[in-house]
């Protein structure tokens, strides 16, 4: 058995190396010059050269892109959390046909693939002047995120005992008061799940920005990278420096929030 | 009278709470869906504001469109192969990472890491990997290979590998969570009864893991049937027609060929196909689950 365990360990280790290889290659490319790459492809450079990064920072509008990504991701996530928590509270506490039907509609909406609504969404965005704005895309992300958000919050609030709320009601506390003072403080775990899942999706999303944010000054990181790679396909070292720059925030977010992300995915599977 | 007023006021708060959610949902999902269904019966070009109703013509045309069928075939080939590979590999990883392996937390992080990178980035990295990275490595072994993405016979498999690299992380987490929910006593009593680890896996672990299998099969299958970004940023459907999938075909029809009405008819058919796949898959796998 011991021998088996060593064999399994070696196989997993090799697989891990294969998994890390593309990322390693990207980092390696980003710190070398074209000549160094040509001379010896896999060798580490004799000196770490960060000029690719400097150059990429200057030519790529990276600060604008990261600002756009931060604004759109954070505001969308806040919107999703607020709207879903409120709606989830109503559905969880009013066990009436109207609320249950709304709940079912949110659920069935999740089945609709984005591709089906993409052309009408573009048309709608154009008619309502939502293209090339922050608020337009944030509202759409809100509409997408509220479907799973409501699911999470409803299930979570249903498990909260009603006794405290009823006591507060007798003391004359209004519905908004109960929600603000009693419910919100209890929602932290489910909010963490909703935040990390939506933040990762929105930060990395490509298709909706491709439709909604064509203007240079509104592009998010993935979209800006897509155009940058097309433009600098001959200067690969520069393109890879930009790729690694885009990778750093999301990997940092993942490493810091890992516990919540893993919990969120496991919780999402149970709810689904 | 006072009571009624108070009850109304209470109900009003609940309605106010749910209203913003309904508004956003209607704007982002319901209205576009209704618009799309309506456009699918017109000759709309996707841009202008004028169009005329043409009945079921778009749907009739879709049935006779070889491009659509080929894209559908590619999509299902991609999705089925990917679903099987992702689930087998992530289940194996979960089994070993849930048990004795040293450094298993680090391994979990490594296998999950590619999932958080945007598809634009992974597409770019892998295109380069395929065209230069791997051939250079293999040339040291005397092998001469070219990028699979440039070869119509292998391009789809090249994309499946990239999706596999990015796709095993989340199912692995779900399988690990499922494994941790299986009580240890069951394994112990099986061992006492003389069952080997293979038998224990087949008769205890797998049946009790069925809910996780169901959800993972469903998530990966429906997710991969909708594939768009990866194809769009790497091969754009080429070489030839070899990696054209339904989503990229719809995108091309709607935005590049200016056949909005027809693109919407294709979308609606695709939606219907997805619903059927989901329902069939759910009913098959739910039957296999056992109650704890």
């Amino acid at each position: 058995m011991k021998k088996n365990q060593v064999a399994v360990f070696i196989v997993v280790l090799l697989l891990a190396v294969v998994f890390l290889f593309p990322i390693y290659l990207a980092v390696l490319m980003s710190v070398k010059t074209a000549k160094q790459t040509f001379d010896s492809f896999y060798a580490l450079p004799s000196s770490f050269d960060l000029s690719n990064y400097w150059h990429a920072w200057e030519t790529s509008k990276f600060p604008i892109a990261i600002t756009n990504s931060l604004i759109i991701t954070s505001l969308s996530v806040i919107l999703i959390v607020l709207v879903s928590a409120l709606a989830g509270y109503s559905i969880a506490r009013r066990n009436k046909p109207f609320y249950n039907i709304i709940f079912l509609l949110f659920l069935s909406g999740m089945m609709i693939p984005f591709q089906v609504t993409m052309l009408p969404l573009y048309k709608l965005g154009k008619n309502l002047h939502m293209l090339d704005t922050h608020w337009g895309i944030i509202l759409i992300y809100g509409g997408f995120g509220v479907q799973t958000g409501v699911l999470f919050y409803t299930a979570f609030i249903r498990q909260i005992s009603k006794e405290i709320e009823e006591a507060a009601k007798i003391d004359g506390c209004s519905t908004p008061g109960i929600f603000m003072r009693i419910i919100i403080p209890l929602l932290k775990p489910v909010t963490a799940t909703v935040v990390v899942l939506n933040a990762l999706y929105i930060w990395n999303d490509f298709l909706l920005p491709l439709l909604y944010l064509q203007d240079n000054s509104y592009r998010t990181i993935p979209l800006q990278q897509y155009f940058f790679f097309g433009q600098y396909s001959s200067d690969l070292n520069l393109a890879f420096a930009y790729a690694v720059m885009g990778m750093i925030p999301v990997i940092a977010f993942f490493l810091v929030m890992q516990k919540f992300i893993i919990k969120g995915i496991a919780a999402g599977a149970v709810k689904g | 009278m006072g009571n009624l007023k108070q009850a109304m006021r209470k109900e009003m708060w609940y309605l106010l709470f749910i209203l913003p959610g309904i508004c956003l949902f209607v704007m982002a999902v319901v209205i576009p869906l209704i618009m799309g269904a309506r456009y699918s019966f017109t000759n709309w070009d996707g841009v202008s504001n004028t169009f005329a109703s043409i009945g079921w013509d778009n749907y009739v045309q879709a049935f006779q469109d070889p491009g659509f069928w080929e894209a559908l075939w590619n999509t299902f080939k991609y999705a089925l192969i990917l679903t099987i590979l992702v689930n087998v590999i992530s289940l194996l990883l979960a089994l070993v990472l849930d048990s004795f392996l040293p450094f298993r937390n680090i391994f979990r992080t490594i296998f999950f890491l590619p999932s958080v990178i945007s598809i634009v980035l992974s597409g770019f990295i892998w295109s380069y990997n395929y065209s230069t990275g791997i051939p250079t490595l293999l040339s040291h072994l005397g092998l001469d290979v070219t990028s699979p993405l440039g070869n119509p016979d292998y391009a789809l498999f090249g994309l499946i590998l990239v999706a596999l690299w990015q796709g095993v992380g989340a199912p692995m987490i779900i399988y690990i969570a499922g494994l941790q929910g299986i009580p240890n006593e069951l394994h112990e009593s099986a061992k006492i009864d003389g069952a080997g680890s293979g038998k224990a896996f087949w008769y205890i672990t797998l049946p009790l893991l069925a809910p996780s299998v169901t959800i993972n099969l469903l998530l990966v299958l429906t997710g991969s049937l909708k594939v768009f970004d990866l194809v769009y940023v790497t091969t754009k459907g080429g070489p030839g027609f070899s990696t054209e999938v339904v989503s990229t075909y719809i995108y091309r029809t709607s935005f590049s060929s200016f056949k909005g009405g027809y693109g919407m008819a294709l979308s609606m058919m695709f939606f219907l196909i997805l619903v059927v796949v989901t329902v069939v898959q759910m009913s098959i796998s739910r039957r296999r689950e056992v109650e704890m």
Side-chain angles (χ1 to χ4, degrees):
Chain A
M1 193 59 193
K2 268 273 172 274
K3 229 185 218 166
N4 278 345
Q5 294 190 352
V6 174
V8 169
F9 182 76
I10 291 171
V11 170
V12 173
L13 190 68
L14 283 176
L15 199 60
V17 170
V18 171
F19 262 67
L20 285 180
F21 181 73
I23 297 174
Y24 165 73
L25 211 60
V27 177
L28 186 68
M29 282 293 286
S30 71
V31 293
K32 286 163 91 168
T33 61
K35 188 174 174 305
Q36 283 170 331
T37 310
F38 182 77
D39 287 345
S40 172
F41 186 79
Y42 281 106
L44 286 165
S46 46
S47 63
F48 272 99
D49 184 9
L50 295 180
S51 64
N52 287 323
Y53 285 90
W54 185 236
H55 194 176
W57 181 279
E58 282 193 322
T59 47
S60 68
K61 300 195 172 140
F62 187 74
I64 299 178
I66 200 166
T67 314
N68 285 329
S69 278
L70 282 174
I71 293 175
I72 289 169
T73 306
S74 55
L75 291 183
S76 303
V77 168
I78 292 171
L79 181 70
I80 291 168
V81 165
L82 281 177
V83 168
S84 314
L86 284 168
Y89 179 68
S90 280
I91 294 169
R93 286 298 182 244
R94 307 306 286 163
N95 216 352
K96 287 185 178 173
F98 170 73
Y99 295 94
N100 290 332
I101 288 170
I102 299 287
F103 185 64
L104 279 180
L105 279 181
F106 280 134
L107 271 189
S108 42
M110 281 158 48
M111 298 260 289
I112 304 167
F114 179 61
Q115 288 77 7
V116 169
T117 50
M118 99 188 139
L119 184 60
L121 258 182
Y122 177 72
K123 168 100 173 141
L124 190 74
K126 211 162 128 191
N127 288 351
L128 299 177
H129 306 288
M130 292 162 86
L131 305 185
D132 293 325
T133 65
H134 286 140
W135 63 268
I137 198 166
I138 289 169
L139 286 181
I140 301 295
Y141 278 133
F144 289 163
V146 75
Q147 303 168 63
T148 46
V150 163
L151 184 65
F152 276 109
Y153 278 107
T154 306
F156 190 85
I157 294 171
R158 273 188 182 143
Q159 288 169 354
I160 300 175
S161 147
K162 282 189 199 166
E163 278 166 31
I164 319 168
E165 285 173 60
E166 262 142 37
K169 233 178 259 171
I170 292 165
D171 289 346
C173 201
S174 63
T175 309
I178 292 173
F179 182 74
M180 296 285 284
R181 273 179 235 142
I182 299 173
I183 299 297
I184 285 185
L186 296 172
L187 293 181
K188 266 182 211 143
V190 66
T191 303
T193 301
V194 174
V195 167
V196 290
L197 293 183
N198 281 296
L200 274 182
Y201 157 66
I202 295 170
W203 184 272
N204 282 334
D205 188 34
F206 173 71
L207 188 46
L208 193 56
L210 181 68
L211 293 180
Y212 265 52
L213 308 172
Q214 316 235 327
D215 188 287
N216 224 327
S217 53
Y218 284 98
R219 286 178 193 162
T220 55
I221 290 181
L223 194 61
Q224 183 65 23
Q225 277 175 334
Y226 174 71
F227 287 108
F228 191 79
F229 294 154
Q231 208 177 337
Y232 289 88
S233 55
S234 55
D235 193 347
L236 278 168
N237 297 88
L238 181 67
F240 269 107
Y242 192 47
V244 174
M245 264 158 60
M247 219 152 48
I248 290 169
V250 70
I251 288 185
F253 177 79
F254 164 62
L255 291 178
V256 172
M257 304 294 280
Q258 193 175 7
K259 209 180 83 197
F260 296 104
I261 294 173
I262 285 174
K263 249 194 217 155
I265 288 170
V270 176
K271 299 277 150 46
Chain B
M1 200 53 199
N3 271 344
L4 186 70
K5 216 170 164 186
Q6 213 180 354
M8 289 268 289
R9 204 145 117 211
K10 218 178 81 188
E11 195 64 41
M12 186 197 77
W13 279 116
Y14 289 113
L15 284 173
L16 271 181
F17 277 13
I18 204 173
L19 197 64
I22 295 176
C23 288
L24 285 180
F25 177 67
V26 166
M27 185 189 70
V29 179
V30 179
I31 291 178
L33 188 68
I34 295 171
M35 279 168 79
R38 198 170 130 238
Y39 285 138
S40 73
F41 294 99
T42 68
N43 61 0
W44 184 43
D45 61 5
V47 187
S48 66
N49 283 319
T50 54
F51 48 83
S53 174
I54 53 168
W56 289 88
D57 283 10
N58 285 328
Y59 289 91
V60 174
Q61 195 193 336
F63 271 105
Q64 296 157 347
D65 180 352
F68 179 60
W69 290 108
E70 199 167 330
L72 205 58
W73 166 243
N74 285 339
T75 310
F76 270 90
K77 201 159 73 177
Y78 170 90
L80 287 176
I81 297 173
L82 186 63
T83 306
I84 292 168
L85 286 180
V86 164
N87 276 283
V88 168
I89 292 176
S90 58
L91 180 58
L92 287 175
L93 282 175
L95 284 170
V96 296
L97 291 181
D98 185 48
S99 54
F100 59 86
L101 217 63
F103 306 117
R104 49 177 181 261
N105 282 330
I106 298 174
F107 281 129
R108 277 181 213 177
T109 305
I110 290 172
F111 292 124
F112 192 79
L113 193 61
S115 324
V116 302
I117 299 171
S118 77
I119 295 175
V120 176
L121 268 184
S122 68
F124 174 71
I125 293 173
W126 273 90
S127 300
Y128 177 72
N129 220 344
Y130 278 143
S131 67
T132 320
I134 295 173
T136 312
L137 194 65
L138 292 181
S139 71
H140 292 303
L141 305 172
L143 292 167
D144 186 25
V145 292
T146 53
S147 171
L149 298 186
N151 184 330
D153 294 332
Y154 300 123
L156 200 64
F157 296 100
L159 293 182
I160 288 173
L161 268 189
V162 182
L164 187 64
W165 181 67
Q166 283 208 289
V168 298
M172 177 188 75
I173 303 284
I174 293 170
Y175 279 131
I176 289 176
L179 285 171
Q180 284 166 354
I182 299 177
N184 241 336
E185 300 96 70
L186 285 175
H187 286 282
E188 275 157 26
S189 55
K191 217 182 260 171
I192 293 165
D193 289 346
S197 51
K199 260 193 170 160
F201 172 75
W202 193 252
Y203 289 106
I204 296 173
T205 313
L206 204 57
L208 288 176
L209 208 57
S212 308
V213 177
T214 305
I215 192 71
N216 273 336
L217 285 177
L218 186 70
L219 287 180
V220 182
L221 185 64
T222 49
S224 49
L225 283 173
K226 296 183 214 165
V227 59
F228 174 85
D229 308 25
L230 183 61
V231 177
Y232 189 80
V233 302
T234 51
T235 63
K236 285 230 154 69
F241 215 74
S242 59
T243 57
E244 187 80 281
V245 289
V246 176
S247 301
T248 52
Y249 190 66
I250 292 174
Y251 186 89
R252 195 202 302 264
T253 309
S254 307
F255 289 100
S256 309
S257 313
F258 299 107
K259 290 191 274 190
Y262 183 53
M264 284 320 304
L266 295 180
S267 305
M268 289 297 150
M269 286 172 67
F270 181 48
F271 180 31
L272 209 67
I273 291 169
L274 272 179
V275 171
V276 171
V277 168
T278 310
V279 170
V280 168
Q281 208 250 312
M282 289 292 271
S283 60
I284 291 174
S285 43
R286 283 280 183 223
R287 225 180 291 151
R288 295 180 54 92
E289 286 179 18
V290 290
E291 293 290 327
M292 278 273 277

